[in-house]
């Protein structure tokens, strides 16, 4: 297949949205966190995705996150807007507004809750992609959406000139291989434990949750794979394993990452918005047990890790409710 220029980057962070203790966006912490991720090696930032708690953000917050990320990055990283909507009309509206706000690309999630047929998915993705000139990543996440984007549907969508990539959170590596063999689509690993397996069969990069904590080792993995250095890539993958387990296994990734970042002193509060809540005592203990096994991960020092289970407890009701309109 023809080579397609990559407009997204390779090490993309599925960015958390830092909140204060009342559940309002902490804009200063957001700016600092984006800066930290870029300095650590990220060349792409995905705002308002699953990890960014898009379903409980307001539309103005989503657009401001694009603007803030664009300003902080100053061209050092691509800014991708995620989330979208399970209402096609609203998704079109938001992606148009995100383009005006300065986004470099859009990530369109499979419509959740509605459970459309594959024909409905095809129409949804095509209409959204038609509405913007930005390059598009399809976000295939059946665990949250309730339905997959089937192989045949991906092949049909690959013919759209704006649809250039897939974020794969399905974990079917054999299907990824089939699509890579038959299309020009780029693949991004959306499953932190499987970043190296995805890259090893031809994926372009990752859109990672754990990269909020440590982007540098993912930069090492991607650069090593690009250079054909499997030994270095595998060593970094193995170093990351307990950190990935801590972030992705016991509670939703957003919850764990905020808990860990707050314990490291990198965000002001671990607060999440309801219906998400902070880890319970036993869940926090499991996270901390895994963190005790982390060794020599670049950019992370757990010697001064000070988790605050009380600060993380519960969830917040923001002043203004998120809305689909």
């Amino acid at each position: 297949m023809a080579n397609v220029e990559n407009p997204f980057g390779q090490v993309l962070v599925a960015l958390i949205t830092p909140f204060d203790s009342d559940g309002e966006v902490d804009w200063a912490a957001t700016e600092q966190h984006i800066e930290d991720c870029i300095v650590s090696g990220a060349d792409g930032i995905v705002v308002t995705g699953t990890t960014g708690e898009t379903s409980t953000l307001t539309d103005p917050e989503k657009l401001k996150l694009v603007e803030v990320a664009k300003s902080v990055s100053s061209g050092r990283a691509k800014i991708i807007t995620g989330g979208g909507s399970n209402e096609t009309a609203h998704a079109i509206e938001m992606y148009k507004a995100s383009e005006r706000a300065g986004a470099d690309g859009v990530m369109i999630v499979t419509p959740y809750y509605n459970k459309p047929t594959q024909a409905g998915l095809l129409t949804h993705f095509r209409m959204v992609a038609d509405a913007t000139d930005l390059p598009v990543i399809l976000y295939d996440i059946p665990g949250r959406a309730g339905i997959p984007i089937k192989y045949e549907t991906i092949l049909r969508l690959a013919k759209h000139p704006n649809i250039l990539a897939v974020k794969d959170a399905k974990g079917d590596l054999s299907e990824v291989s089939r699509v890579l063999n038959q299309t020009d689509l780029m693949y991004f690993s959306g499953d932190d434990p499987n970043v190296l397996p995805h890259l090893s069969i031809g994926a372009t990069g990752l859109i990672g949750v754990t990269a909020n904590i440590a982007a540098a080792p993912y930069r090492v993995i991607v650069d090593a794979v690009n250079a054909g250095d499997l030994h270095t890539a595998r060593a970094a993958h193995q170093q990351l394993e307990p950190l990935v387990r801590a972030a992705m296994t016991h509670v939703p990734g957003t919850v764990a990452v905020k808990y860990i970042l707050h314990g490291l002193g990198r965000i002001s509060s671990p607060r999440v918005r309801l219906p998400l809540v902070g880890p319970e005592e036993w869940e926090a203990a499991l996270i901390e047990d895994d963190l005790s096994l982390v060794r020599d991960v670049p950019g992370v020092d757990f010697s001064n890790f000070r988790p605050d289970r009380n600060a993380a407890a519960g969830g917040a009701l923001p002043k203004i409710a998120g809305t689909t309109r």
Side-chain angles (χ1 to χ4, degrees):
M1 311 302 287
N3 289 325
V4 179
E5 183 180 351
N6 175 8
F8 307 112
Q10 288 189 282
V11 179
L12 281 68
V13 177
L15 199 80
I16 61 157
T17 304
F19 299 139
D20 62 23
S21 58
D22 294 323
E24 301 304 313
V25 179
D26 184 336
W27 293 107
T30 299
E31 291 182 11
Q32 185 59 57
H33 183 53
I34 294 168
E35 178 68 21
D36 290 345
C37 290
I38 295 172
V39 169
S40 296
D43 54 9
I45 301 291
V46 178
V47 296
T48 74
T50 303
T51 307
E53 299 177 70
T54 187
S55 56
T56 52
L57 293 171
T58 66
D59 287 357
E61 286 173 334
K62 294 174 186 178
L63 295 176
K64 186 172 179 179
L65 280 163
V66 173
E67 293 169 352
V68 167
K70 187 73 172 182
S71 175
V72 173
S73 71
S74 297
R76 295 173 295 163
K78 299 295 185 181
I79 306 304
I80 315 301
T81 185
S85 175
N86 64 336
E87 180 197 7
T88 305
H90 183 231
I92 288 171
E93 177 185 284
M94 285 304 299
Y95 286 125
K96 283 182 174 179
S98 295
E99 182 173 4
R100 292 192 296 269
D104 297 302
V106 299
M107 186 175 73
I108 311 174
V109 69
T110 309
Y112 40 88
Y113 187 73
N114 319 61
K115 295 187 76 172
T117 62
Q118 292 297 303
L121 289 185
L122 194 67
T123 303
H124 175 84
F125 287 124
R126 281 175 171 170
M127 289 190 73
V128 177
D130 283 342
T132 175
D133 292 326
L134 294 177
V136 169
I137 303 172
L138 304 176
Y139 185 10
D140 189 7
I141 183 164
R144 290 182 181 272
I147 51 172
I149 312 173
K150 289 188 176 178
Y151 163 75
E152 295 83 3
T153 305
I154 293 174
L155 292 189
R156 295 175 73 182
L157 288 167
K159 297 176 182 178
H160 193 289
N162 290 348
I163 296 174
L164 302 185
V166 177
K167 176 184 176 183
D168 181 77
K170 191 157 53 183
D172 185 343
L173 297 182
S174 61
E175 181 177 288
V176 174
S177 291
R178 291 178 72 189
V179 175
L180 289 174
N181 280 343
Q182 297 182 50
T183 74
D184 291 331
L185 289 175
M186 291 170 276
Y187 258 74
F188 290 87
S189 178
D191 183 20
D192 285 12
N194 282 323
V195 167
L196 181 55
H198 271 115
L199 291 170
S200 72
I201 60 170
T204 298
L206 63 119
I207 301 175
V209 178
T210 310
N212 280 278
I213 305 166
Y218 288 108
R219 183 82 262 164
V220 170
I221 291 173
V222 166
D223 290 347
V225 170
N226 289 343
D229 183 357
L230 179 60
H231 175 78
T232 297
R234 186 170 59 240
H237 167 82
Q238 291 170 339
Q239 278 182 325
L240 274 169
E241 189 274 330
L243 182 59
V244 170
R245 191 167 67 247
M248 303 301 294
T249 304
H250 310 296
V251 293
T254 303
V255 174
V257 166
K258 285 190 169 184
Y259 182 73
I260 294 168
L261 287 174
H262 184 249
L264 289 168
R266 287 167 52 184
I267 57 174
S268 62
S269 169
R271 185 67 72 220
V272 290
R273 286 181 179 174
L274 287 163
L276 293 181
V277 295
E280 296 187 56
E281 285 287 322
W282 64 274
E283 293 167 330
L286 291 172
I287 292 170
E288 291 166 31
D289 284 348
D290 286 336
L291 293 178
S292 70
L293 302 175
V294 176
R295 299 284 185 276
D296 302 322
V297 171
V300 182
D301 180 4
F302 284 104
S303 63
N304 292 314
F305 185 62
R306 299 291 184 271
D308 188 337
R309 297 182 185 180
N310 289 329
L317 281 174
K319 295 175 184 176
I320 301 174
T323 176
T324 61
R325 285 285 183 183

